[in-house]
Amino acid sequence: MTLLLMHGGASNVESDVFKRKQNAVSSALGKISDFSIDALDLVELAVEYMERDPHLNAGYGSILQLDGRARMDAGICTSDRKYAGILQIEQTKTPIKIARKLMDAAYHSILCGEGARKFSDENGFPRENAITVEQMEAFEESCKTFPEISYQSFSRDMSDLNKKKLGTVGAVAIDKKGRMAAACSTGGTKYCFPGRVGDTAIYGAGVYCSEHVAVAMTGEGDKVLRRMTARLVEDLFLKSGNLHQAVTDAAQDLERHENGYCGIIAVSSDRQYAHAHNTAYMAFDQHAA
């Protein structure tokens, strides 16, 4: 049996925006015609389809940082401990494909900024506009709140800002041969200081895969980084043997220790699959066959 779980971010407010995210995730799942491919190809394809949807905060449609530029992060990993992350790359609609290429190159694990861009160029990925009209309008509205780029200004109402740091896409899978993989991609957070890197592409924080579990996160990335929540799912699963309990407890751990919001999807080597979130909603869909 092949299992694929996908998410398009978490939310505390049901709205037309969230409904569009849910529809986008389900639409991406519906575009996958062959679920017999291996888990790594499956999560890459699932995330790529979500990155191409302008209603999701990843790839084309990414939130703009406070200098008006779209800088994206993506990470991908497998149950045989392969991993690569691309951080703060610009001018691409599909950063997950670049992360996959870096993983296949098997030399560096992470490239960022100009280095990531140069790697992308060398490997023939086209330079593409990732900025939508909708996100440009949202950026212009953000400028009214932060007319000057000042890190100090974020401390005015950090609690309110943190509630808006919930945009990511991710996928986890286990294929018929028992291989697992996980992938995540994001445009970052609303009100994002230029150059900020969150949890999404960081192994053990926002994305994780081992011989036991595959995990993809969404939520308040700065807090997830401190708790290493994706890696915590494995620890909890190995203690209980219950994946649903593990993801539920991991979400509660983030809330208890960091007052943090998150969503989690996961599969395990014994073919359990589960999702949890401590937000009101999470855009989510799955396939099991």
Side-chain angles (χ1 to χ4, degrees), residues 126-194:
R127 292 197 175 210
E128 304 168 295
N129 173 44
I131 300 175
T132 64
V133 172
E134 183 179 62
Q135 290 297 357
M136 180 56 72
E137 291 174 349
F139 164 71
E140 291 170 353
E141 189 66 26
S142 296
C143 291
K144 297 177 183 178
T145 305
F146 294 100
E148 296 181 6
I149 301 174
S150 167
Y151 195 87
Q152 185 177 4
S153 64
F154 287 168
S155 62
R156 293 174 186 166
D157 193 349
M158 193 176 297
S159 176
D160 181 62
L161 294 181
N162 283 341
K163 293 177 183 178
K164 300 169 182 175
K165 296 181 178 181
L166 304 172
T168 313
V169 306
V172 295
I174 181 170
D175 61 30
K176 293 180 179 179
K177 294 183 178 180
R179 296 170 297 201
M180 293 185 291
C184 279
S185 182
T186 188
T189 73
K190 189 171 183 178
Y191 307 128
C192 187
F193 197 80

Side-chain angles (χ1 to χ4, degrees), residues 12-170:
N12 281 306
V13 180
E14 186 176 25
S15 65
D16 290 340
V17 172
F18 175 73
K19 291 176 182 177
R20 289 200 296 269
K21 290 181 181 294
Q22 179 59 62
N23 290 338
V25 174
S26 296
S27 176
L29 179 62
K31 291 177 181 177
I32 300 174
S33 59
D34 184 5
F35 290 91
S36 67
I37 60 178
D38 72 32
L40 177 58
D41 291 335
L42 194 55
V43 297
E44 179 189 5
L45 187 61
V47 169
E48 179 190 349
Y49 283 144
M50 290 190 285
E51 287 176 331
R52 291 188 181 277
D53 193 304
H55 297 113
L56 297 170
N57 177 25
Y60 183 59
S62 289
I63 289 174
L64 306 189
Q65 295 182 350
L66 284 179
D67 59 355
R69 294 164 64 176
R71 298 180 180 89
M72 296 157 274
D73 302 337
I76 191 166
C77 49
T78 67
S79 51
D80 57 354
R81 301 284 182 167
K82 294 178 181 178
Y83 157 77
I86 289 289
L87 307 180
Q88 299 297 279
I89 192 168
E90 299 182 68
Q91 295 181 294
T92 178
K93 293 182 179 179
T94 55
I96 195 63
K97 293 178 69 65
I98 303 169
R100 169 67 188 275
K101 188 69 175 181
L102 179 62
M103 187 180 72
D104 289 344
Y107 183 47
H108 294 314
S109 292
I110 294 176
L111 290 175
C112 68
E114 288 302 314
R117 182 69 261 166
K118 181 173 175 55
F119 175 84
S120 177
D121 292 341
E122 285 186 2
N123 283 278
F125 291 100
R127 292 197 175 210
E128 304 168 295
N129 173 44
I131 300 175
T132 64
V133 172
E134 183 179 62
Q135 290 297 357
M136 180 56 72
E137 291 174 349
F139 164 71
E140 291 170 353
E141 189 66 26
S142 296
C143 291
K144 297 177 183 178
T145 305
F146 294 100
E148 296 181 6
I149 301 174
S150 167
Y151 195 87
Q152 185 177 4
S153 64
F154 287 168
S155 62
R156 293 174 186 166
D157 193 349
M158 193 176 297
S159 176
D160 181 62
L161 294 181
N162 283 341
K163 293 177 183 178
K164 300 169 182 175
K165 296 181 178 181
L166 304 172
T168 313
V169 306

